[in-house]
Amino acid sequence: MAKQASVFILFTTYCCRSLAVELTSNNQHPVVNEFQSVELSCNIKSISTPKPRIEWKKFRGGDTTYVYFQGKISGALENRAELRGTTSIVIHNTTRTDSATYRCEVSAHLDEKKLDELSIELTVQVKPVVPRCSVPQSVPVGKSASLTCVETEGFPLPTYHWYRDNEPLPDNPKSSPKFFNSSYTADPKDGTLKFSEVKKIDAGEYYCVAKNPAGMARCGPQLMEVYDINIAGIVGGVLVVLIVLLLIAIGISCAYKRGYFVSKQQTGKNYKPPAKGDAVDSKQEEEGDFRHKSSFVI
Ligand SMILES: *[C@@H]1O[C@H](CO)[C@@H](O)[C@H](O)[C@H]1NC(C)=O
Ligand SMILES: *[C@@H]1O[C@H](CO)[C@@H](O)[C@H](O)[C@H]1NC(C)=O
């Protein structure tokens, strides 16, 4: 009785499966580092049509392109991909633009359920490149300071980690006795390191590391000096006063050398201001002249 039942189950399973094309995948979310190979796994679990039609499509950024069509790899993958087994695809030397959704479609016209398809979400991870770092060269004690680190190629987005004199700065300075007195806050997501109040102990060579699962990259160390604002303020103030005085002195001596004062005195001597009457006369003369001329012209 049990034997009959199991035979029956076997038969129905065989019968019904054979009437439908059915696909499976070993991995529908493959992740690979750029320039490595990856398999887009699509296996036929059951089928009864001897030569099914197999197609692969790629969906990326609103575009749909054929990857495998009429028995051939096509498009951008033409020289970089090959079929593995009957339906899987292997992409060699992946690039970041291979990150996409791929769909494996198998149509079997002799099966009752004639079509099955499955999607593969491929992620191509990209190593970070050397980040751009900005570190203020010198900061007065007690002032705020902001260090920034930006990396634009890495995928997934990298996290940022600052180092001082080759030692990693903990995200929270209070978590380490060594950095306990420092006033910084570190944001591993946007790469900024902000000091609310710089202290002498904060001086040193800083660099930042951008890191993601595909790798890491760092910028070159840059020195941040911390100086005492009082001395600097006094020295700066004295310097400014000295420079202003120097400029005034230079200006006066130049004016003398060019004879600016002398020539003014001379012109003063030679210039005879006209008497009031004279001025009126000449004005009248001019006006008369003008009137005469204009009437002549008219
Ligand atoms: C892989 O592709 C890159 C460009 O995406 C190319 O520069 C490199 O030479 C290729 N490597 C191999 C082994 O084909
Ligand atoms: C932090 O500051 C306190 C008080 O100013 C001092 O005693 C201590 O040595 C400092 N710690 C470090 C690591 O500089």
Side-chain angles (χ1 to χ4, degrees):
M1 189 67 188
K3 202 176 174 186
Q4 277 177 343
S6 64
V7 164
F8 177 73
I9 288 164
L10 249 175
F11 172 77
T12 47
T13 320
Y14 175 77
C15 125
C16 297
R17 265 193 186 171
S18 71
L19 292 174
V21 54
E22 201 178 327
L23 304 176
T24 60
S25 176
N26 300 340
N27 183 2
Q28 287 188 263
H29 300 275
V31 176
V32 68
N33 288 355
E34 197 173 33
F35 310 123
Q36 294 180 340
S37 297
V38 68
E39 182 186 43
L40 308 180
S41 161
C42 175
N43 305 313
I44 296 174
K45 197 168 153 198
S46 77
I47 196 163
S48 50
T49 306
K51 284 194 172 171
R53 197 181 73 211
I54 298 157
E55 285 175 5
W56 278 90
K57 286 176 191 150
K58 175 183 177 181
F59 303 88
R60 181 183 156 90
D63 288 336
T64 304
T65 49
Y66 272 108
V67 170
Y68 184 79
F69 183 65
Q70 294 185 337
K72 273 185 285 186
I73 303 278
S74 60
L77 287 178
E78 209 169 355
N79 302 310
R80 268 197 304 128
E82 62 188 350
L83 212 62
R84 175 176 286 175
T86 335
T87 36
S88 293
I89 278 185
V90 175
I91 303 177
H92 299 292
N93 194 16
T94 52
T95 76
R96 57 197 71 188
T97 55
D98 293 337
S99 280
T101 300
Y102 295 83
R103 194 163 72 202
C104 170
E105 300 174 2
V106 175
S107 37
H109 66 282
L110 295 182
D111 287 67
E112 201 164 278
K113 182 186 169 233
K114 298 186 189 314
L115 179 77
D116 198 16
E117 56 187 37
L118 60 79
S119 290
I120 310 280
E121 204 80 46
L122 173 64
T123 304
V124 179
Q125 300 185 141
V126 180
K127 257 202 288 203
V129 295
V130 172
R132 275 183 292 111
C133 299
S134 129
V135 177
Q137 282 181 353
S138 62
V139 186
V141 166
K143 294 285 173 190
S144 63
S146 186
L147 286 68
T148 63
C149 178
V150 182
E151 196 280 335
T152 51
E153 302 283 314
F155 183 81
L157 290 179
T159 55
Y160 300 96
H161 311 273
W162 280 96
Y163 287 69
R164 186 183 76 206
D165 299 328
N166 291 317
E167 258 191 275
L169 268 60
D171 287 347
N172 177 8
K174 300 288 175 237
S175 68
S176 142
K178 184 148 191 177
F179 297 96
F180 189 84
N181 287 346
S182 199
S183 70
Y184 72 78
T185 51
D187 186 340
K189 282 198 179 130
D190 78 356
T192 57
L193 180 69
K194 281 190 180 136
F195 294 87
S196 61
E197 212 179 298
V198 168
K199 299 194 175 73
K200 288 272 188 184
I201 50 159
D202 295 320
E205 281 197 320
Y206 285 84
Y207 65 79
C208 156
V209 171
K211 195 163 143 187
N212 74 5
M216 56 165 73
R218 66 179 59 177
C219 58
Q222 295 174 46
L223 186 65
M224 182 173 89
E225 285 175 328
V226 178
Y227 61 88
D228 201 319
I229 191 152
N230 295 323
I231 290 168
I234 291 163
V235 169
V238 168
L239 272 180
V240 167
V241 169
L242 282 181
I243 287 170
V244 167
L245 286 179
L246 195 67
L247 286 178
I248 290 171
I250 289 172
I252 290 172
S253 83
C254 275
Y256 262 111
K257 274 184 192 154
R258 290 192 184 164
Y260 179 70
F261 292 107
V262 177
S263 68
K264 203 166 187 182
Q265 278 164 2
Q266 280 172 350
T267 50
K269 268 180 202 164
N270 294 346
Y271 181 61
K272 275 184 194 163
K276 210 181 177 184
D278 285 352
V280 171
D281 279 353
S282 67
K283 201 184 175 187
Q284 277 176 343
E285 248 174 50
E286 272 169 28
E287 275 181 354
D289 245 337
F290 175 69
R291 275 183 197 139
H292 177 73
K293 274 176 191 161
S294 28
S295 60
F296 185 73
V297 168
I298 291 163

